[in-house]
Amino acid sequence: MPKSALTVRSLEMKMGLLVEEDFGLKFTPLVVIELDKNANEEAIKWLVKRIWDKKEHGGAELMIEPFLMSSSDENHNLFLVGASTKRLLLAAEEIGIVKECEDGSMRAFTCSNRNMFKDFKDGGDSFFSMAECQYIIKLQLDSLRAINERIIPGYPQIKLYPGKSILRRLMSKGILVQYFPLHDKEELKKLSYSWYSKFQLSYQPLDDIRHYFGEAISLYFGFLEYLTFALIPMALIGIPYYLFAWEDFEKYTLFATFNLVWSTVLLEVWKRCCASLAYRWGTLIRKKEFEEPRPGFHGVLGINPVTGREEPVYSSFKRQLRIYLVSVPFVLLCLYFSLYIMMIYFDMENWALGYHEEEQSVWSSLVLFLPSIIYAIVIEVLNRIYRYAAEFLTGWENHRLESSYQNHLVLKVLVFNFLNCFASLFYIAFVLHDMKLLRQSLATLLITSQILNQIVEAFLPYWLQKRRNKKVHKKLGRTSMDKELPWAEQVKLEADMDTYLGTFDDYLELFLQFGYVSLFSCVFPLAAVLAVLNNVTEIYSDALKMCQVFKRPFSQPAANIGVWQLAFETMSVISVVTNCALLGMSPQVKSLFQESDTNLILLVLAVEHILLAFKFILMFVIPDVPKDIRTQLAKLEFESLEALKQQQTQRAAESLKEDREEFKLKAS
């Protein structure tokens, strides 16, 4: 954390606010709020007062201080936000943060039993990590809601109503630019040194990543590491297959079978690893928060039947009309356009093949790879353009909950990306029956997409951030980039950094990579080798990106990888069908059924159903949660039920005692 503590007395003088006795005179800034530089002063004072006020007055009960830059040319409405230890402890109990007890068990934190928790000392000043403190502050800011206000002060045209989220309203109208957590330079140095500053063949420091960035991001890096290690057996087997046994049917069949078993066991074992991590981090047993409407949700005012609060209401029938009459046709149109581009690619392949047959030169041999490279670049461009269109369309559908919005967005993006990336491979395999072209196309698509992703997602943002840092150092008259910036300049630099948009694109990249490996790796065994090499560099580039390029994201609790687990399992099922069909198309199998194609099809279907049955049996046999964790969860549930029984018994005894005393008073 920044070593220089900031006083709140200046805020008292500038804003005319009262300093609460609980807060003291100093606090450590954890979160930055940036308002529009032309924001109305009346609105700023109103927002600051609401952040400062006590909970019973509708405030967030946080500390806030205007942040003044040393240079006069800066014109940013920046505010620093922090919280007292008492506020953090009370809020942690409200939201149900789970911490480790002295006996090693994981329990929801309560202030009354705070001394039973491990590492609770010195009044709890260092009990929570900085990421947990920032997450608590974010929840308190998000909980600010209009009470009796009908408009935002200073903006009579912007309406409010009771229960409306204040920050979301300000952000949707452009008054609030952003709010983000500050980096801890000392902790970041330690994490960088153990994570990516030197190349080492070891596990990632997942606990340290979770401590700094939160569970959601740490689970992504855990899954990336797990998938990389899981790909190594496939890579080791694929190398000799590629070199020596390319067309050997028996070994080809063994490789395809191993591929199917591997993809199933891989995902089932990951569930167990994920459960172990989530239990150790306290998110497996954490109570689920009530999901509020997403910021972009709009509609006529109504009453929420659960909370009883006024909030927008939008007809589910209208949403379904938008989905089925607009979104679905749009997605189908995009899929048709993608298939049209694919047919142009095959025309280019025919032209390249004809050119090579005429010229028969080294240059013409290189031209053979040109259509696949161009098509791979076009695929990446189309995927990114479609992503923006899908986000706009999903937002226009006006989903009430963020989870519903994410599910519809993921479905749209996955359907398009799957068809865009794999349609040409399916066409080559099952229509053209050209295994040589399939291997060439798969290799080109995989290599090109990995190179482009590294450039767009890592090297380009890092280069831009490097230029930004250099400009700031030059402005301060510093010649060396190694020297740390003054804290005030560091805050301004972080405010100008790009915002990390979450793990969506990272999981999508792994999903497509998993598809290349599981669907067609028996045709191109080196796919797993290329995936391993890419993932090793991905770990370091993503780590560098998180620590040096983007603003620090808010910690986000997570017990698993969410909808992506289902996406990977679906891809695994599709791989069974694909590999069985590829085996059925092999010349050795076809030679056994020269007289009847029907028998061949029936045999392939029978083998496919047997493998699918085996796959689902494996999913059933391998428990999602390890036995020791299931025991701990059952123990906690039993203790909760016993505590509830004791509470009910105590209440009944107190009620009986009150009835007896009342009866005695009446009798006397």
Side-chain angles (χ1 to χ4, degrees), residues 378-408:
V378 170
I379 284 176
E380 293 298 319
V381 173
L382 289 177
N383 285 344
R384 295 182 187 281
I385 293 175
Y386 177 81
R387 168 71 184 277
Y388 293 119
E391 287 179 348
F392 171 80
L393 208 58
T394 310
W396 178 75
E397 290 168 5
N398 198 24
H399 296 278
R400 178 181 176 272
L401 301 180
E402 185 66 28
S403 59
S404 176
Y405 171 86
Q406 289 295 332
N407 288 338
H408 281 80

Side-chain angles (χ1 to χ4, degrees), residues 109-140:
F109 174 78
T110 56
C111 291
S112 58
N113 297 325
R114 56 187 178 274
N115 291 319
M116 68 181 285
F117 288 90
K118 187 178 179 181
D119 298 330
F120 188 90
K121 53 188 177 182
D122 300 327
D125 288 340
S126 58
F127 182 58
F128 298 112
S129 67
M130 188 177 181
E132 288 174 327
C133 294
Q134 291 166 334
Y135 172 69
I136 292 172
I137 289 176
K138 179 182 183 296
L139 291 185
Q140 301 311 304

Side-chain angles (χ1 to χ4, degrees), residues 330-346 375 378-379 382-383 386 415-424:
F330 175 79
V331 172
L332 293 176
L333 181 64
C334 290
L335 296 179
Y336 171 79
F337 182 71
S338 176
L339 293 175
Y340 182 77
I341 296 293
M342 181 189 74
M343 300 313 296
I344 295 177
Y345 156 66
F346 286 119
Y375 185 54
V378 170
I379 284 176
L382 289 177
N383 285 344
Y386 177 81
V415 168
F416 181 80
N417 276 258
F418 182 85
L419 187 75
N420 201 29
C421 294
F422 299 114
S424 62

